[in-house]
Amino acid sequence: MHPAPRAPRRAVAAVTVALLATAVGCAPQPEEKASAAPSGSAAKSCAKGSLATRTAGKLTIATDEPAYEPWFKDDKPANGKGFESAVAYAVAKRLGYDKSAVVWQSVPFNKAFAPGVKTFDFDINQVSISAERKNAVDFSSGYYDVRQAVIALKGGKAAAAKSIADLRKLKLGAQVGTTSLDYITDIVKPAQDAAVYAKNDQAKSALKNGQVDAIVTDLPTAFYITAAEVTNAKIVGQFENQTGTPEQFGLVLDKGSALTSCVSGAVDALRKDGTLARIEKQWLSDAVDAPVLK
């Protein structure tokens, strides 16, 4: 995820339709259910006029800053471009809010799912659904299935890795609070402690500067990084799903939010009518496959 150069978005960022269909990425912690059942109290009605939003007549949506590609375009969540921006507006439309009624808010990644009252109606920021996180917040049904991937500089020590065992002797890095970091500590279990960064930008800089041998991100972000940002890097491979069910990104809501069931219903409808698949194809396709690390 990164707001980066406009250049090769289509030829860049993400996963082929076939890969996406099986895919399972960048954010946060072990998942459990492919479609997380909403835990919020059901709203009596999901009609626009009856939704208990933060601001009457408006829908407040949050994401981190910067807003990275391919999830957003040009670091402008409100432009409707990029996978998550398009999904956010599609959900808003299902709930009865047109683009002019959507208000964007900047919320740091880790704060989005931390305990405490939220200032947004829902957050969209590659946050993986997990049982642990659901102790503090509600999640919508999953809107995207992801996998984690390893990025290394071409010709570097990690570039030739073919297996998880090959990664164990390397210095790996990832953003704090992410599933990417969990995969390093829980799946790879490297001999050296993982390098932990507040932002993906810092992880990428560490890779460029040789401070780490490789970094881990979600697969679409990995395709974008290697095609548009760190062009002397390559995707070493992707991890298999480790839980038996896909890792999914979900929209984050306040714990017990009356909006949870309505937002989940909107996501479910967008999946059923093919809207999510169309958005995915538009913004997260045109990429080659990545070898699986076992």
Side-chain angles (χ1 to χ4, degrees), residues 1 12-14 26 69-71 147-151 200 215-230 233-237 290:
M1 24 183 205
V12 78
C26 147
E69 297 199 24
W71 311 105
R147 280 193 180 182
Q148 301 297 322
V150 179
I151 306 169
N200 248 4
I215 60 174
V216 179
T217 72
D218 63 80
L219 188 55
T221 298
F223 276 119
Y224 188 81
I225 288 173
T226 55
E229 298 182 317
V230 189
K234 61 175 281 189
I235 297 175
V236 176

Side-chain angles (χ1 to χ4, degrees), residues 17 50 108 146 181 189 232 286 293:
V17 179
S50 65
V146 287
L181 182 58
K189 299 178 181 177
N232 63 331
D286 302 333
L293 299 166

